[in-house]
Amino acid sequence: MSKFKIFSIALLASAAVGQAQNLDQATKAIDAEQYEKAKSLLKSLVSTKDGGKASFLLGNIYLTQSVEDSAKIFFDKGIALDGGKINNIGLGQMFLNKGDVSSAKSKFDLVTKDLKKKDIEEYIYIAKAYMNADKPDFKSAIAVLEKAKAANPTNAYVQLALGDAHYGDKNQNEAYSAYRSAYQTDSSLIRAKMQLGVLLKGAKAYNEAIKAFDEVATINSNYGPLYRELAETHYLWANNQPKFYNENIKKALDYYEKYLSLTDYSLASRMRHADFLILAKDYKALEVEANEMKKLDKVNPRILRYLGYAAYENGNTDVAISSLNEFINKGTNKVINGDYLFLGLATVKKSVGADGKTVDAALLNSGIANVKKAVEAEPSLANALNEIGKNYFTQQKLYNVAAAIFGVAITNPNSKNYLEDNVYYGLAVYTENRGKDEKTIDKVALESADKAMDNVITATPTYQEAYLYKARINSSLDKDDVMAATYQKYLDMVLAKGDEEVTKNKAKVTESYNSIAAHYANSDKAKAIDYFNKTLALDPTNNYALSSLKSLQPKR
């Protein structure tokens, strides 16, 4: 009997060691972003003595994958299990996601109130909750981690988390110091070494970042997150150096495929891949990926987003509109501003008739309303409108559509295309209204176009074309004094550059002379005659100047 007892204890000890190993393996799988492997390991531990911690880690994975209902199930279940108090941290992050900071702190306090002096893991997870919340609070994360550092100053995991917090708080020097300390303390923390390359990526030192990542690859060539970072670095490099765009985008997409092969091809990973394909603007591949995801899960709503984006870019506006409307109108979905942007752009595209000329005003207004909604909530989205607006202006010559697009783009003064967008907005409005009579001309839009040109002139007073465009707009507004004065400013700039510049801009110069002359025709005939003669000095056969001069001459 006693032998049996001893044997039983040995079995229990062996089981305990196995459970600990599984928990350690799961933690390593999470770090390697092998989430499906980690979930499988953790689910086998929920009914063991490590159930509380396993439930917490499971809930965190689901939060990372934006599956909040599953996350809450595991957090709630985990609280009642051994060591389950830590699950309050997960529930606290869910409160942070809702903007309820007070309730989140109450949950965190439940975890920290009875901690022993050397306990630091809980502080690290609380800090991560602050960092991983929908609206990250890096300063609160740093404050929590300082408590952990005071308890254990040399702990590598504390240093790693501090590096993340300082990086998020845009403190490169402190982040570098923390990551370096973490790796020097524990060289098995490959993520800390990788993050030194991430800092270089964030500083736009792309070549140096890639060298740093290559160093990591020599240590562990199978570390999946490394290839995600390489993919993102080449993507950013492509956007910052257009000359090498195609080369870098290809590398980015290849590295992302390697990342997937080293993590998993689960639905969650495919969704992350789809998000990257959107960044890389590879919409053909996105459509393929969306259809692959559909095979895995026909009802997952996020697939509708990817189908919608891909359908818009690939020219199928009806599928884009139906997919995105279905996604947005399902109340439980986490809608992002890009969803409204793509829905709006798809609706704008649909507003253009089959003849490529007629525009359905109601559809156009509906589409622009969603584009505006997206940009108001996330102003950086205005950057994407420049290319779209220029296509409607230069290729399709749909000036009313172009004006509507650029009208939204210029609401963000920090847009990288802000001045060019103002120019195009003014030109689009002017061109759309040129030749219209008093009843149909849109004076409100023309006033806005005039302000847009003022924005350009204020920022770049030497840009002579802006004065020409402003003069034309004010001509349409019947503001002849402003028109004449602005044409004169344009002339002064052109004439100051010499005869070659005048010859190059002959049509615009004669337009300016004639318009100023017409302004003075009823108030100062001598000036009018002088300006018409200036036109004829450049263009002796100019019909408008010749006929106008004839009418200004005294009758004999």
Side-chain angles (χ1 to χ4, degrees):
M1 188 70 179
S2 61
K3 285 184 181 179
F4 178 75
K5 281 186 176 179
I6 293 168
F7 183 58
S8 298
I9 290 168
L11 278 174
L12 288 171
S14 175
V17 170
Q19 289 162 14
Q21 286 176 340
N22 280 348
L23 197 58
D24 184 55
Q25 288 173 0
T27 304
K28 287 178 180 176
I30 291 169
D31 177 66
E33 298 176 19
Q34 296 170 337
Y35 296 123
E36 295 310 305
K37 177 182 177 181
K39 282 195 279 191
S40 178
L41 288 166
L42 292 167
K43 284 175 182 176
S44 71
L45 295 174
V46 169
S47 59
T48 70
K49 73 178 186 63
D50 291 317
K53 177 75 174 289
S55 287
F56 169 68
L57 293 176
L58 267 169
N60 266 348
I61 292 173
Y62 282 113
L63 271 188
T64 299
Q65 297 177 336
S66 299
V67 189
E68 293 200 355
D69 52 351
S70 294
K72 191 169 189 312
I73 288 169
F74 281 104
F75 291 144
D76 287 338
K77 182 178 181 180
I79 285 176
L81 302 174
D82 290 342
K85 189 164 63 171
I86 197 171
N87 285 275
N88 285 296
I89 297 173
L91 293 171
Q93 185 183 329
M94 295 187 78
F95 277 120
L96 289 177
N97 289 347
K98 295 173 184 174
D100 188 347
V101 178
S102 176
S103 294
K105 191 174 182 308
S106 295
K107 290 292 183 184
F108 298 153
D109 289 344
L110 289 173
V111 178
T112 59
K113 67 177 181 178
D114 296 321
L115 285 183
K116 295 174 185 176
K117 188 176 180 181
K118 290 291 183 180
D119 289 342
I120 59 169
E121 184 181 50
E122 290 82 357
Y123 285 122
I124 293 172
Y125 280 119
I126 290 170
K128 286 183 177 180
Y130 278 117
M131 289 189 274
N132 294 332
D134 288 348
K135 291 185 178 178
D137 182 351
F138 296 107
K139 292 192 185 304
S140 290
I142 292 167
V144 171
L145 288 167
E146 287 298 333
K147 294 178 183 178
K149 187 180 177 182
N152 194 333
T154 60
N155 184 276
Y157 290 94
V158 173
Q159 291 295 332
L160 176 59
L162 268 170
D164 292 340
H166 284 301
Y167 180 56
D169 201 38
K170 295 181 170 54
N171 190 331
Q172 295 275 103
N173 291 335
E174 290 292 339
Y176 177 83
S177 177
Y179 287 138
R180 184 182 58 186
S181 295
Y183 188 68
Q184 287 174 344
T185 303
D186 184 353
S187 60
S188 72
L189 274 182
I190 197 77
R191 185 175 286 272
K193 176 79 169 168
M194 182 184 77
Q195 289 300 117
L196 294 172
V198 172
L199 291 176
L200 291 166
K201 178 187 76 172
K204 297 184 179 180
Y206 303 122
N207 200 36
E208 290 78 5
I210 288 166
K211 287 177 183 176
F213 293 139
D214 286 344
E215 280 183 34
V216 178
T218 63
I219 300 166
N220 184 350
S221 61
N222 292 318
Y223 187 59
L226 171 65
Y227 299 98
R228 175 177 48 75
E229 291 296 343
L230 277 164
E232 291 174 5
T233 302
H234 279 287
Y235 161 73
L236 292 169
W237 200 353
N239 281 294
N240 277 271
Q241 290 194 3
K243 184 179 177 182
F244 303 106
Y245 182 85
N246 291 335
E247 175 189 340
N248 277 307
I249 280 294
K250 185 181 184 310
K251 286 181 180 178
L253 293 169
D254 288 345
Y255 276 125
Y256 214 101
E257 284 295 331
K258 185 157 188 178
Y259 164 73
L260 281 175
S261 72
L262 290 169
T263 51
D264 55 51
Y265 281 94
S266 66
L267 184 65
S269 292
R270 285 185 177 277
M271 285 183 173
R272 192 165 185 171
H273 183 216
D275 289 333
F276 187 77
L277 290 172
I278 292 168
L279 287 177
K281 297 181 181 178
D282 190 344
Y283 294 102
K284 296 291 184 187
L286 178 63
E287 191 164 13
V288 172
E289 188 69 287
N291 284 311
E292 287 299 316
M293 287 189 281
K294 209 171 181 182
K295 292 175 188 175
L296 291 172
D297 187 345
K298 292 181 180 179
V299 297
N300 191 292
R302 266 177 69 186
I303 296 170
L304 291 167
R305 168 186 291 156
Y306 303 127
L307 284 171
Y309 287 19
Y312 164 72
E313 292 290 349
N314 295 332
N316 196 337
T317 54
D318 288 334
V319 171
I321 292 167
S322 62
S323 297
L324 289 168
N325 267 324
E326 186 178 349
F327 178 78
I328 289 170
N329 293 326
K330 281 185 177 177
T332 57
N333 292 337
K334 206 170 204 176
V335 179
I336 61 174
N337 298 311
D339 300 333
Y340 290 109
L341 178 69
F342 273 88
L343 175 60
L345 292 174
T347 309
V348 168
K349 189 181 279 190
K350 187 173 174 60
S351 74
V352 179
D355 61 0
K357 297 177 182 178
T358 57
V359 176
D360 184 318
L363 277 177
L364 175 62
N365 292 337
S366 173
I368 290 297
N370 275 318
V371 173
K372 189 175 181 181
K373 182 175 184 176
V375 172
E376 283 177 348
E378 192 174 336
S380 64
L381 292 175
N383 293 328
L385 300 179
N386 177 267
E387 189 178 332
I388 295 163
K390 283 196 288 189
N391 178 64
Y392 282 117
F393 185 95
T394 59
Q395 301 299 317
Q396 296 180 256
K397 303 193 184 308
L398 294 168
Y399 303 111
N400 56 337
V401 180
I405 293 289
F406 285 118
V408 179
I410 63 175
T411 59
N412 176 19
N414 298 314
S415 167
K416 66 180 181 181
N417 309 303
Y418 179 65
L419 293 180
E420 187 180 37
D421 289 343
N422 273 275
V423 171
Y424 271 104
Y425 173 70
L427 283 173
V429 171
Y430 166 73
T431 309
E432 175 65 16
N433 283 278
R434 184 174 54 193
K436 287 186 176 180
D437 59 32
E438 190 70 25
K439 290 181 181 178
T440 56
I441 198 168
D442 188 344
K443 291 201 171 185
V444 173
L446 284 164
E447 292 283 1
S448 296
D450 186 42
K451 289 176 184 174
M453 288 305 166
D454 285 340
N455 292 336
V456 178
I457 290 167
T458 300
T460 54
T462 58
Y463 179 49
Q464 64 193 36
E465 300 299 306
Y467 297 96
L468 179 74
Y469 302 148
K470 179 177 172 66
R472 289 172 177 172
I473 290 165
N474 278 279
S475 175
S476 294
L477 284 166
D478 293 329
K479 292 184 177 180
D480 289 350
D481 288 345
V482 178
M483 173 204 71
T486 314
Y487 268 127
Q488 187 61 58
K489 286 180 182 177
Y490 170 75
L491 285 170
D492 292 342
M493 295 179 80
V494 174
L495 294 171
K497 293 178 182 177
D499 291 344
E500 188 178 338
E501 186 72 11
V502 172
T503 302
K504 188 170 75 174
N505 293 284
K506 177 181 169 182
K508 296 172 184 175
V509 171
T510 56
E511 172 193 329
S512 302
Y513 284 143
N514 282 345
S515 298
I516 296 171
H519 167 62
Y520 285 119
N522 293 322
S523 59
D524 190 333
K525 287 187 179 182
K527 267 190 179 181
I529 290 169
D530 181 47
Y531 275 102
F532 280 130
N533 281 326
K534 288 178 179 181
T535 293
L536 293 173
L538 269 179
D539 180 9
T541 62
N542 188 282
N543 288 328
Y544 182 74
L546 288 168
S547 61
S548 296
L549 269 176
K550 198 177 286 185
S551 67
L552 287 170
Q553 298 295 338
K555 293 179 181 179
R556 295 179 182 178

